[in-house]
Amino acid sequence: MGNTPLVKWGDVDGATIWLKLEGQNPSGSLKDRHVIGILRDLNERGILAPEKEFIDTSSGSYASALAMWGAVLGMKVNIVTRETIENTYKLYFDYVGANLILHGTNNAAGHEHCKCLYEDCPEKYIFTDQMNNKAAANEHQNTAKEILDTLDGDVAAIFTNLGSGANLAGMKAHVDTIGHGLQMYAVTQAKDAAGSFVGTWKEGYVKSFYAESIKADPSIREVQTSYSAGLPLWKEHLLSKGFTVGQATSGALEAAIRTIKSDGLEGNIVLLSGNQYGWNVPA
């Protein structure tokens, strides 16, 4: 887990765009870092008891990562997810031995249900609460360190889909600690009837401490993209170049290219690519 490839995508005006391929983590997304950070913290605090069961809500990447690492530890994992979860995910969770609890239509309902289950039976469950768990963000300090080490510190900006905000918060913490002057960009999605990117923050979908705090941070610039604008780049400028990344990366790419041109960004620009195309699908 970690030490994922940083690969050059190409040049735009005076900038060079690099992709940090987090889809190369074991379960296929950056959420492996979230889970590992949380597990390390639980272990250090003596809470990682093998007789207990993990529980959390997710409709995709985090659930897949937690289920996989739970299987590695030999611990039971309960995933609370929407009633409309795709069959490919059901197959995956069955494959790794996770228990699915179908509840509601989105992660907000699932999160509340997790809290209720945990509060009713705290001796049974370990509620990892990825949306508000500082340990998930802390692990992403390593993500920023890997990026800067690979490019010898020569990085002008990092773009990442906001999501829960944990990855951005962790990277910013490292950047602030070492006093680097690079600019952090949080990519969010404008309303688009054509569709939405997986991993892109939706207002009101589920409340996250990190996402809310980042939106209030004046040092982090928010740039919006749309599904309609980003999707053509995924097909024509990512997949065609051999970057088998998820669709959300094309949103970050579209936002980065537009910002480079409008703001005159120069130097090395890094995009955090959150997942692999077709990730979590059983063979």
Side-chain angles (χ1 to χ4, degrees):
M1 192 282 300
N3 293 311
T4 53
L6 185 66
V7 182
K8 181 179 176 180
W9 175 83
D11 298 313
V12 176
D13 295 344
T16 299
I17 296 178
W18 300 78
L19 267 61
K20 179 69 166 166
L21 300 178
E22 288 293 282
Q24 297 300 309
N25 280 305
S27 77
S29 82
L30 58 79
K31 293 299 178 79
D32 281 305
R33 295 189 192 258
H34 293 221
V35 173
I36 288 296
I38 290 171
L39 292 179
R40 284 176 175 160
D41 177 65
L42 291 169
N43 189 50
E44 289 171 3
R45 292 190 290 130
I47 303 174
L48 195 61
E51 70 276 7
K52 287 196 172 186
E53 302 178 10
F54 294 114
I55 189 168
D56 210 331
T57 186
S58 168
S59 57
S61 297
Y62 181 79
S64 299
L66 182 60
M68 187 201 76
W69 289 104
V72 170
L73 292 173
M75 294 177 64
K76 186 173 181 178
V77 175
N78 299 280
I79 302 299
V80 179
T81 191
R82 53 191 165 84
E83 295 168 352
T84 55
I85 190 77
E86 293 83 0
N87 193 54
T88 50
Y89 281 118
K90 291 180 180 179
L91 291 171
Y92 176 85
F93 295 130
D94 182 64
Y95 178 71
V96 295
N99 177 48
L100 273 186
I101 301 172
L102 303 181
H103 181 85
T105 59
N106 58 40
N107 281 350
H111 188 265
E112 289 303 310
H113 192 54
C114 279
K115 289 200 307 185
C116 290
L117 290 172
Y118 171 72
E119 289 167 2
D120 287 344
C121 202
E123 70 282 357
K124 177 181 179 181
Y125 294 116
I126 296 174
F127 179 27
T128 59
D129 194 9
Q130 65 140 336
M131 291 295 178
N132 301 286
N133 196 322
K134 293 181 180 180
N138 288 341
E139 190 64 30
H140 278 284
Q141 293 195 47
N142 291 325
T143 310
K145 185 177 186 303
E146 290 169 19
I147 290 170
L148 291 168
D149 286 351
T150 302
L151 294 174
D152 296 324
D154 185 14
V155 178
I158 296 177
F159 286 76
T160 178
N161 289 306
L162 180 55
S164 68
N167 57 321
L168 205 158
M171 289 192 294
K172 185 177 185 299
H174 177 72
V175 169
D176 289 348
T177 297
I178 65 173
H180 198 291
L182 68 86
Q183 180 63 53
M184 306 291 294
Y185 288 88
V187 180
T188 58
Q189 182 177 326
K191 289 184 178 179
D192 189 344
S196 64
F197 293 119
V198 174
T200 301
W201 176 258
K202 297 177 182 178
E203 294 294 346
Y205 188 54
V206 63
K207 198 172 183 68
S208 167
F209 165 76
Y210 285 111
E212 297 302 315
S213 62
I214 284 168
K215 282 176 171 288
D217 188 335
S219 71
I220 297 174
R221 296 181 186 172
E222 180 180 353
V223 55
Q224 285 201 326
T225 187
S226 70
Y227 186 82
S228 298
L231 195 62
L233 275 69
W234 181 61
K235 296 176 180 178
E236 298 168 17
H237 299 292
L238 288 168
L239 294 184
S240 66
K241 282 187 157 188
F243 289 93
T244 54
V245 295
Q247 296 178 9
T249 301
S250 65
L253 179 61
E254 190 279 328
I257 290 173
R258 182 162 34 88
T259 305
I260 288 167
K261 293 181 177 180
S262 64
D263 295 2
L265 290 180
E266 296 182 343
N268 291 318
I269 310 297
V270 176
L271 273 59
L272 194 69
S273 175
N275 57 49
Q276 181 82 304
Y277 176 53
W279 83 113
N280 308 332
V281 179

